[in-house]
Amino acid sequence: LRLDYTKTEGEGYFTDPYKFRDNRPGHREQDTAVLRWNHHFVTLDASLRLSWRWYADSFGVSAHTVGAEYVQQLPQGWTLTPSVRLHAQSKADFYLDPRFRGVPAIVPRSELQSQDQRLATFGAATVGIKAARRLGREWSVDVELARYEQRSGWYPFGGAGRWIKPFSANLLQFGVSRSFGD
């Protein structure tokens, strides 16, 4: 069982110069708490990893993420790990939906505003599977395949943005790692 808390403060330029009509505050405070629980099942030679992450910032964004991984040991140094992750996020105080009642949102450039979808209200789900193999004591290799889906309607607490387009991605990742020490 592990609990971590992080507080971050930043000053500077948070506006995205590549986004049209993007004007964000010059100060940001972020709070994050992560609770993790790992449990090994001796008779199955497997482990369950559960996590919950809470996030809030001075932009008005708050989020919750829950995750689960089941790590199954297999013969000859292999492991198989299916996983699922669910994420829910509220919008920033200055977020504007790209459209308001069917017409583009227009606000004076001097006002705080952003139409960056990453600051919108949405929910997301990731489902994946990872195969890994140890190569001796120090080296291991892995391959992971995952599917990510994001929708404004998946936000479970209401108030989701209507004009956010669905987003999805297929992820394929290869890894090589080396451990140092005992």
Side-chain angles (χ1 to χ4, degrees):
L1 182 66
R2 179 176 176 165
L3 175 64
D4 294 311
Y5 172 78
T6 305
K7 180 159 187 75
T8 306
E9 289 191 43
E11 294 282 338
Y13 189 73
F14 292 103
T15 298
D16 188 336
Y18 301 104
K19 300 280 184 197
F20 179 68
R21 294 196 174 276
D22 198 86
N23 187 23
R24 303 178 193 188
H27 177 81
R28 189 176 197 180
E29 296 178 19
Q30 299 168 298
D31 294 284
T32 306
V34 179
L35 179 64
R36 292 184 177 109
W37 179 63
N38 296 342
H39 183 80
H40 184 71
F41 299 95
V42 176
T43 57
L44 299 173
D45 198 16
S47 297
L48 180 64
R49 300 177 188 154
L50 301 175
S51 65
W52 169 70
R53 178 179 178 263
W54 167 81
Y55 171 86
D57 68 21
S58 59
F59 284 7
V61 175
S62 64
H64 296 274
T65 306
V66 293
E69 295 179 332
Y70 179 79
V71 183
Q72 179 63 61
Q73 300 294 324
L74 299 172
Q76 300 178 358
W78 285 94
T79 59
L80 191 62
T81 308
S83 63
V84 63
R85 182 175 165 224
L86 304 173
H87 177 79
Q89 172 181 305
S90 68
K91 70 179 183 69
D93 295 335
F94 50 87
Y95 174 77
L96 295 173
D97 272 330
R99 296 183 168 272
F100 178 74
R101 294 187 184 158
V103 297
I106 299 175
V107 176
R109 177 74 173 118
S110 61
E111 305 249 348
L112 292 177
Q113 61 185 300
S114 180
Q115 293 180 355
D116 187 339
Q117 185 170 336
R118 295 169 296 179
L119 297 174
T121 298
F122 67 89
T126 307
V127 177
I129 190 152
K130 177 179 182 179
R133 184 162 193 271
R134 293 209 48 88
L135 305 173
R137 289 185 50 178
E138 298 175 343
W139 292 92
S140 64
V141 294
D142 64 74
V143 61
E144 183 174 10
L145 179 62
R147 173 76 175 175
Y148 175 84
E149 297 274 344
Q150 176 182 307
R151 304 282 185 273
S152 61
W154 288 356
Y155 183 71
F157 308 111
R162 293 180 16 205
W163 305 105
I164 300 300
K165 293 182 180 177
F167 176 79
S168 62
N170 293 317
L171 310 164
L172 179 61
Q173 175 180 304
F174 298 95
V176 176
S177 60
R178 181 179 190 271
S179 61
F180 297 89
D182 291 336

